[in-house]
Amino acid sequence: LRGFLVPRPQPTRSQGAPSPRLSLHPAHRNELGQGREEDNHSYYVSRLYGPSEPRSRELWVDVAKANRSQAKIHTILSNTHRQASRVVLSFDFPFYGHPLRQITIATGGFIFMGDVIHRMLTATQYVAPLMANFNPGYSDNSTVVYFDNGTVFVVQWDHVYLQGWEDRGSFTFQAVLHRDGRIVFGYKEIPMSVPEISSSQHPVKTGLSDAFMILNPSPDVPESRRRSIFEYHRIELDPSKVTSMSAVEFTPLPTCLQHRSCDACMSSDLTFNCSWCHVLQRCSSGFDRYRQEWTDYGCAQEAEGRTCEDFQDEDHHSASPDTSSSPYDGDLTTTSSSLFIDSLTTEDDTKLNPNAGGDGLENNLSPKTKGTPVHLGTIVGIVLAVLLVAAIILAGIYISGHPTSNAALFFIERRPHHWPAMKFRSHADHSTYAEVEPSGHEKEGFMEAEQC
């Protein structure tokens, strides 16, 4: 992994890209009553409830009353500053149409929703009720609590203080992930105006973001590939509306990914330009987390000018037997099955079935299995594996008996202490979340840019 960049691609509307204006805009805002607003963001509909709305209190999840076996105080996050830790959900949570089972909770008031951990967790792929420079380690009363009952997952930043602004009071807020895809931001105590919070040491954001990752050849090392992240959608809430006893509810809208058949995909009336990729059996606009596969398999070119009937005709012709052959020349079902099995057979499987031709299929399907000769390569592999294990054991014995040797010092300096957690480091130009690494082994930077 060489590093991460966030270029700004310029997709056209014909490619199925969402509207380039993704933040709240008065044109998309409906006033639904005193203290309540609604906005449509293509992927979600957000509803903001002010302190006077009863719904804001209904959406708040009282973690203190939760079952002790379901609510847990994260001791590491509750006692540190600028750190993050992974948590596995008990259910698949649909985020922008993608089912997620693992998330990353950060002390900075947000949840990282990406699959690949990198230093700039604050840049993209987040659920941020209030992203800021919070320091739970400042006070013994500050905790980061999470709650999971199988249908809802709650993260609560309880009585946390802003670094350098401790005299302004503590913040208490939460993010709630519902199994049906709804996301709720609940704010119980917001002691100061959010626009006043400085972003010089840490980004200040409220909203959602998602991105897709593309592998590109590295210019420095041609044989390696660099991962580049493209943010294809972002929702930015008005920070001035984040006040005590307010709440925001995000209801997911249908996406192309929900369609499981070509007919449903091509007849979709969504605002996205959905296309069907027959190779992947997937419906997509081309702008989601499966972008890499979409481009690798040429799905955009495959779908041009094609209909579902065209794909069905191709399947019919490819599955049809040779009509010039007589029905009595052979078993057509066996021939078709043989071709299918050969297409799924790996190189190693072929070596284990040297009689694949002729009656090879009959031999493979027979309940009486025949003895398979042991290959020289298999024996050599087993011997090498045994020698490798023995070498590792001997090296461990030597290192433990000679802790001051060069070899022992080499491994001690490079051993991973906390793989699941990421330590936050501040740089002069920007702040970054980084994996715990030995000194002198920093990864390349992650440049934040505007969304697509």
Side-chain angles (χ1 to χ4, degrees):
L1 181 63
R2 294 281 300 170
F4 297 84
L5 300 176
V6 185
R8 185 180 182 184
Q10 301 293 335
T12 61
R13 294 290 292 175
S14 61
Q15 292 175 303
S19 172
R21 181 64 179 178
L22 303 175
S23 59
L24 301 189
H25 193 279
H28 302 287
R29 178 171 295 161
N30 297 322
E31 301 289 344
L32 302 179
Q34 184 178 3
R36 181 181 176 187
E37 298 177 359
E38 179 177 308
D39 291 86
N40 187 306
H41 312 279
S42 300
Y43 289 90
Y44 289 89
V45 171
S46 68
R47 294 178 177 88
L48 172 65
Y49 301 94
S52 61
E53 285 286 326
R55 181 64 175 166
S56 62
R57 289 179 287 277
E58 296 173 2
L59 293 174
W60 179 265
V61 178
D62 194 345
V63 178
K65 296 181 179 179
N67 190 322
R68 289 183 178 272
S69 63
Q70 298 172 340
K72 300 178 181 179
I73 296 178
H74 199 293
T75 55
I76 297 178
L77 299 182
S78 299
N79 294 281
T80 55
H81 178 217
R82 296 178 175 177
Q83 194 162 352
S85 181
R86 299 184 188 182
V87 175
V88 178
L89 306 179
S90 64
F91 57 89
D92 289 330
F93 174 72
F95 184 63
Y96 280 87
H98 306 94
L100 304 181
R101 182 57 70 96
Q102 182 175 266
I103 62 165
T104 302
I105 304 173
T107 56
F110 68 98
I111 304 174
F112 176 66
M113 309 296 286
D115 298 324
V116 178
I117 302 298
H118 51 78
R119 294 196 303 173
M120 284 299 294
L121 300 186
T122 61
T124 61
Q125 297 180 304
Y126 56 76
V127 170
L130 182 53
M131 181 190 296
N133 192 17
F134 292 107
N135 180 15
Y138 172 77
S139 171
D140 293 337
N141 296 327
S142 302
T143 57
V144 177
V145 187
Y146 63 96
F147 166 81
D148 190 344
N149 65 359
T151 59
V152 64
F153 181 87
V154 184
V155 181
Q156 181 167 314
W157 293 264
D158 193 73
H159 292 94
V160 294
Y161 292 83
L162 283 171
Q163 178 76 5
W165 298 66
E166 292 84 2
D167 59 334
R168 301 299 292 268
S170 64
F171 293 71
T172 298
F173 56 94
Q174 62 183 210
V176 185
L177 309 181
H178 291 266
R179 189 167 188 164
D180 59 3
R182 287 185 299 122
I183 302 173
V184 175
F185 295 165
Y187 306 96
K188 188 175 182 180
E189 297 178 5
I190 306 296
M192 61 181 293
S193 175
V194 174
E196 295 181 29
I197 301 176
S198 173
S199 60
S200 60
Q201 299 298 321
H202 191 290
V204 179
K205 302 177 183 179
T206 56
L208 311 177
S209 168
D210 198 27
F212 57 80
M213 188 175 295
I214 294 292
L215 296 176
N216 297 315
S218 175
D220 301 329
V221 185
E223 62 272 12
S224 66
R225 295 202 292 178
R226 166 176 292 183
R227 298 181 185 232
S228 301
I229 294 182
F230 296 83
E231 184 183 55
Y232 67 89
H233 191 261
R234 179 191 297 180
I235 299 176
E236 297 176 343
L237 299 178
D238 185 351
S240 64
K241 300 297 179 67
V242 177
T243 60
S244 298
M245 301 310 299
S246 64
V248 182
E249 182 179 22
F250 298 92
T251 303
L253 294 172
T255 65
C256 299
L257 295 174
Q258 72 179 12
H259 299 305
R260 302 300 180 184
S261 66
C262 180
D263 293 331
C265 179
M266 302 300 285
S267 61
S268 173
D269 57 354
L270 300 178
T271 56
F272 307 103
N273 185 11
C274 299
S275 300
W276 179 254
C277 183
H278 190 63
V279 177
L280 298 177
Q281 291 291 295
R282 179 181 300 152
C283 183
S284 174
S285 64
F287 288 87
D288 52 46
R289 295 194 179 190
Y290 306 123
R291 173 74 177 184
Q292 183 73 57
E293 288 184 332
W294 192 262
T295 56
D296 289 346
Y297 286 89
C299 294
Q301 293 76 17
E302 179 194 78
E304 290 181 357
R306 307 289 291 278
T307 63
C308 296
E309 288 75 13
D310 296 334
F311 295 132
Q312 292 174 358
D313 291 341
E314 289 182 3
D315 289 341
H316 176 73
H317 290 307
S318 62
S320 298
D322 187 0
T323 55
S324 63
S325 301
S326 170
Y328 303 100
D329 289 342
D331 190 342
L332 298 180
T333 304
T334 302
T335 304
S336 176
S337 299
S338 178
L339 294 174
F340 177 71
I341 290 178
D342 287 344
S343 65
L344 298 180
T345 302
T346 63
E347 183 181 357
D348 291 339
D349 292 332
T350 304
K351 291 178 180 177
L352 294 177
N353 296 278
N355 299 321
D359 59 349
L361 179 64
E362 180 180 350
N363 293 336
N364 292 336
L365 299 179
S366 174
K368 298 180 180 180
T369 58
K370 298 182 178 180
T372 305
V374 180
H375 294 278
L376 180 60
T378 304
I379 298 175
V380 173
I382 295 175
V383 172
L384 292 177
V386 173
L387 292 177
L388 178 61
V389 173
I392 294 175
I393 294 175
L394 292 176
I397 296 174
Y398 175 79
I399 291 173
S400 62
H402 302 78
T404 59
S405 64
N406 293 333
L409 295 176
F410 177 84
F411 286 105
I412 289 174
E413 291 177 355
R414 288 159 176 79
R415 62 180 178 180
H417 294 280
H418 304 287
W419 285 113
M422 281 63 64
K423 185 166 58 178
F424 193 104
R425 302 171 185 170
S426 295
H427 293 256
D429 54 343
H430 61 274
S431 56
T432 59
Y433 276 92
E435 295 178 78
V436 174
E437 295 178 318
S439 178
H441 291 269
E442 290 289 342
K443 295 180 181 177
E444 292 186 6
F446 184 99
M447 300 170 56
E448 183 176 4
E450 297 182 14
Q451 66 273 17
C452 301

